Amino acid sequence: MNRDKSKIDQSNLLFRLALMTRRWRQVLDTEVQATGLTDATWRPLLHLYLLGNNIRQKELAASVGIEGPSIVRIMDTLVTKGLVERSEDGSDRRAKLLRLTSDGESLVDRIQETVLSLEKEVLSPFSDDEISQLSNYILRLETMVDTMRQKSKR
């Protein structure tokens, strides 16, 4: 069966969104590499910034979508570079809390400037109404996916 690859419908919509997301990450990775960071290191920095300081490594790993041992290695690298500080959690000495250093915050500011510039460029063909409409669709999709995830955990 020969499928029209330009056609997007219910049978391939989520697949196409996933492909577009992967390509978008490749664009971001290429641009952010100028800061000296790889995808494996800049994304956790950005997540840490967005989640706020003094979160547990486990929470950061879940947000980024990687396993605990992987986040430990990445944090080791970021601590060595002076971008992140790690401390013991007073309520659970086994857990580690993470916070950005001032150098880490400065670097995240540069990363955010890059990301915002690229987002502005990629969204430039769309009106505010179209972006609002797309945002509503995405929120509805996220809600459905989250509901399905919760069901599958039972």
Side-chain angles (χ1 to χ4, degrees):
M1 174 163 99
N2 226 353
R3 295 182 59 95
D4 180 0
K5 293 181 181 175
S6 65
K7 182 179 177 187
I8 300 175
D9 60 23
Q10 194 169 5
S11 70
N12 67 356
L13 176 66
L14 295 178
F15 176 76
R16 294 286 296 269
L17 282 172
L19 286 177
M20 183 197 59
T21 300
R22 190 172 312 125
R23 290 193 308 266
W24 174 243
R25 276 187 50 193
Q26 290 169 345
V27 168
L28 291 175
D29 291 344
T30 299
E31 294 297 320
V32 173
Q33 280 179 356
T35 64
L37 296 175
T38 64
D39 173 55
T41 52
W42 75 261
R43 286 183 52 242
L45 273 180
L46 188 59
H47 280 251
L48 178 55
Y49 174 83
L50 295 171
L51 294 170
N53 282 325
N54 297 315
I55 65 159
R56 290 182 173 183
Q57 285 185 162
K58 182 178 181 179
E59 293 172 58
L60 181 60
S63 178
V64 176
I66 60 177
E67 298 296 320
S70 296
I71 200 72
V72 170
R73 286 190 302 275
I74 292 167
M75 288 302 108
D76 287 344
T77 299
L78 295 174
V79 166
T80 300
K81 289 183 177 218
L83 302 173
V84 172
E85 292 175 345
R86 195 170 12 202
S87 62
E88 282 187 4
D89 184 339
S91 62
D92 181 355
R93 289 181 34 190
R94 297 168 298 169
K96 301 295 182 205
L97 297 177
L98 303 170
R99 65 181 317 281
L100 290 171
T101 64
S102 59
D103 286 348
E105 289 175 359
S106 296
L107 187 56
V108 169
D109 287 342
R110 287 188 13 224
I111 292 168
Q112 281 195 301
E113 287 174 16
T114 300
V115 170
L116 289 174
S117 173
L118 292 169
E119 286 175 346
K120 186 176 180 179
E121 182 180 345
V122 79
L123 295 174
S124 65
F126 300 96
S127 70
D128 289 345
D129 287 342
E130 288 172 317
I131 291 172
S132 178
Q133 192 174 23
L134 180 59
S135 298
N136 289 329
Y137 294 149
I138 290 171
L139 286 172
R140 287 170 52 196
L141 276 170
E142 285 177 337
T143 299
M144 286 304 301
V145 169
D146 288 344
T147 300
M148 293 173 73
R149 285 181 65 212
Q150 292 303 317
K151 285 181 185 177
S152 69
K153 289 181 180 180
R154 292 181 201 158

